[in-house]
Amino acid sequence: MKPNVFCFIGSFAVGKTTQIRRIINSLSDREPSYCGGLDEGLNYYISEYEGFSVLGKMGLNQCTGLDSVFGKLGVEGVTKSLEVALRKSDLIFMDCVFWTTKWVDDWKRKGIRDKFNLYVIHLTTTNYVNLRRLSQRKAKKLGREDWWNIELPDTMYKHTIGKSKECVVIYDKIVKNNIAQDTIEIDAGQDEETINQLILNFINKNL
């Protein structure tokens, strides 16, 4: 049987990393073994757990997983990380705010796309909820509770709304062109437990 790769896509602060952490906690009570280095001149990085792997470095802060190492990896480094993970695990998770279908094109060029089943989880929500969460996140860092008084840079509004639209286009392309074995779109404005249960049901259905 082919390994299964579950990919989370979505804009900033929709809960991609939060949900992957919940999955990790439900599958393992151990800290990961970090595996990184150079392979054929390309950087790679994976977090290994017993029975599964997560691409990138899972840490405690908000910028973690592939987001925290994408600057060093680039698209080819992500492909190399996936290639290494496929040698080690039959179950792989990834999330990155920079995800695009160009990654899939690179997987095809490198000859690894046919070696695994791909499942895509799109976390989406309204711009209001998205921006509110960013304000709440910033307020938490500042030790404040009045998140509604937290001003966000104008560029944050532009990037967040633009990224949300981009992810909708990406997801529609994935569905239309049958890029993944299965897909699901989830309203990220729901409570974490409800979202987590929807994701676990989707994962269990496809394992």
Side-chain angles (χ1 to χ4, degrees):
M1 294 179 64
K2 293 181 179 180
N4 296 306
V5 177
F6 290 87
C7 181
F8 290 71
I9 66 171
S11 186
F12 305 97
V14 294
K16 301 183 299 298
T17 301
T18 296
Q19 290 302 325
I20 283 190
R21 283 201 182 103
R22 290 185 69 115
I23 292 169
I24 290 172
N25 292 337
S26 69
L27 294 176
S28 176
D29 58 0
R30 299 181 181 181
E31 291 297 311
S33 298
Y34 296 119
C35 175
L38 279 173
D39 188 344
E40 297 178 336
L42 293 171
N43 288 311
Y44 68 89
Y45 215 106
I46 63 175
S47 299
E48 291 184 81
Y49 298 83
E50 187 174 355
F52 66 98
S53 295
V54 180
L55 298 196
K57 184 175 182 179
M58 292 305 298
L60 298 177
N61 58 358
Q62 293 293 338
C63 182
T64 189
L66 280 175
D67 286 346
S68 64
V69 292
F70 185 74
K72 295 180 180 179
L73 296 179
V75 174
E76 290 189 318
V78 171
T79 298
K80 178 56 66 175
S81 299
L82 178 56
E83 184 181 340
V84 173
L86 289 169
R87 299 176 199 151
K88 298 172 175 286
S89 304
D90 290 327
L91 179 60
I92 299 165
F93 298 97
M94 73 168 80
D95 84 279
C96 186
V97 74
F98 305 109
W99 203 96
T100 76
T101 53
K102 290 181 180 179
W103 291 20
V104 180
D105 294 336
D106 197 53
W107 299 342
K108 290 178 179 177
R109 282 193 297 270
K110 302 297 171 53
I112 66 170
R113 176 59 191 93
D114 293 335
K115 295 181 179 180
F116 62 90
N117 297 315
L118 177 65
Y119 303 98
V120 175
I121 299 163
H122 180 206
L123 297 180
T124 183
T125 189
T126 64
N127 289 328
Y128 169 75
V129 171
N130 214 177
L131 293 166
R132 184 190 69 195
R133 286 185 176 180
L134 286 168
S135 293
Q136 290 171 332
R137 181 182 292 181
K138 187 173 181 180
K140 185 177 180 180
K141 287 182 179 179
L142 295 173
R144 292 171 53 177
E145 296 183 0
D146 60 332
W147 61 266
W148 51 89
N149 287 324
I150 299 294
E151 292 188 12
L152 298 174
D154 290 342
T155 53
M156 182 61 73
Y157 288 93
K158 178 182 177 181
H159 292 160
T160 301
I161 294 172
K163 179 57 68 173
S164 295
K165 292 179 179 177
E166 178 186 331
C167 288
V168 169
V169 172
I170 289 172
Y171 182 75
D172 287 345
K173 184 176 180 180
I174 290 170
V175 173
K176 182 179 179 181
N177 295 299
N178 296 312
I179 289 174
Q181 269 67 32
D182 198 4
T183 60
I184 186 171
E185 190 169 54
I186 297 174
D187 178 6
Q190 303 174 88
D191 64 273
E192 286 185 15
E193 185 59 40
T194 298
I195 296 170
N196 182 245
Q197 194 56 58
L198 289 169
I199 291 171
L200 290 176
N201 290 344
F202 178 73
I203 291 172
N204 290 329
K205 181 184 76 168
N206 286 296
L207 289 180

